[in-house]
Amino acid sequence: MMNPGRVEAKARKILDQSGITFAPVDVELVAKTLGVEIKFDDLDDDVSGFLSVDPSRSVAVINENHHPNRQRFTIAHELGHYVLHVEADEGLFIDKKYIVHHRDHRSSLGTIDKEREANLFASSLLMPKAIVQSLLDDFRVDFFDEFETHSLAKRLGVSEQALGFRLARLGYEVGE
Ligand SMILES: [Zn+2]
């Protein structure tokens, strides 16, 4: 697994290059900055999306039937693969629930590391530390109840679950 600080730094750098300083992060603008096309398509329900990269074109295809917050996370996740894992100008990453849920499958251990890195990149991109902290300052609370978590998630355009993981990683305590 790549150093988490390095993954965060990469997300921060791309946000800077895209000129993004507020929430919700315009993830399609980030894609544009990177030169990755975003398309929405009627994919199988167990597929969140996939990233296809070849020398002439990079495109992330996102499941058009999923919730907008999930689509945002999937876009950010595919951009993570693009930034962290694409080598030699080509690659194909298909994101199915299966990959995420079969953590004990030995032959996919390398894949699972990549999935974790792409998820960390996605959460760093959609919930940048500086933006989360400034929103927290607005809330003026140290401990989150359900309502505050809901409002903050809405403001960031992420699921409450994704926000919960992010806040825990950033060292905040979150109530049930
Ligand atoms: Zn993935």
Side-chain angles (χ1 to χ4, degrees), residues 28 37-52 57 59-68 70-72 74-75 78 95:
E28 295 195 43
E37 255 180 84
I38 303 295
K39 293 205 174 300
F40 294 87
D41 205 350
D42 185 15
L43 305 176
D44 285 349
D45 189 54
D46 67 338
V47 180
S48 306
F50 62 88
L51 173 72
S52 161
R57 188 169 181 235
V59 53
V61 180
I62 309 302
N63 194 322
E64 69 181 8
N65 306 309
H66 286 168
H67 188 281
R70 184 163 169 201
Q71 292 175 336
R72 284 169 53 74
T74 304
I75 293 171
E78 302 305 345
D95 286 300

Side-chain angles (χ1 to χ4, degrees), residues 77-78 81 93-95 114-115 118:
H77 176 103
E78 302 305 345
H81 282 311
F93 298 88
I94 299 172
D95 286 300
K114 286 184 179 167
E115 294 316 313

Side-chain angles (χ1 to χ4, degrees), residues 20-26 72 126 128 131-132 135 152 155-157:
I20 290 170
T21 55
F22 60 90
V25 166
D26 185 346
R72 284 169 53 74
L126 296 174
I131 290 177
V132 169
L135 290 171
L152 185 58
R155 181 73 191 274
L156 289 160

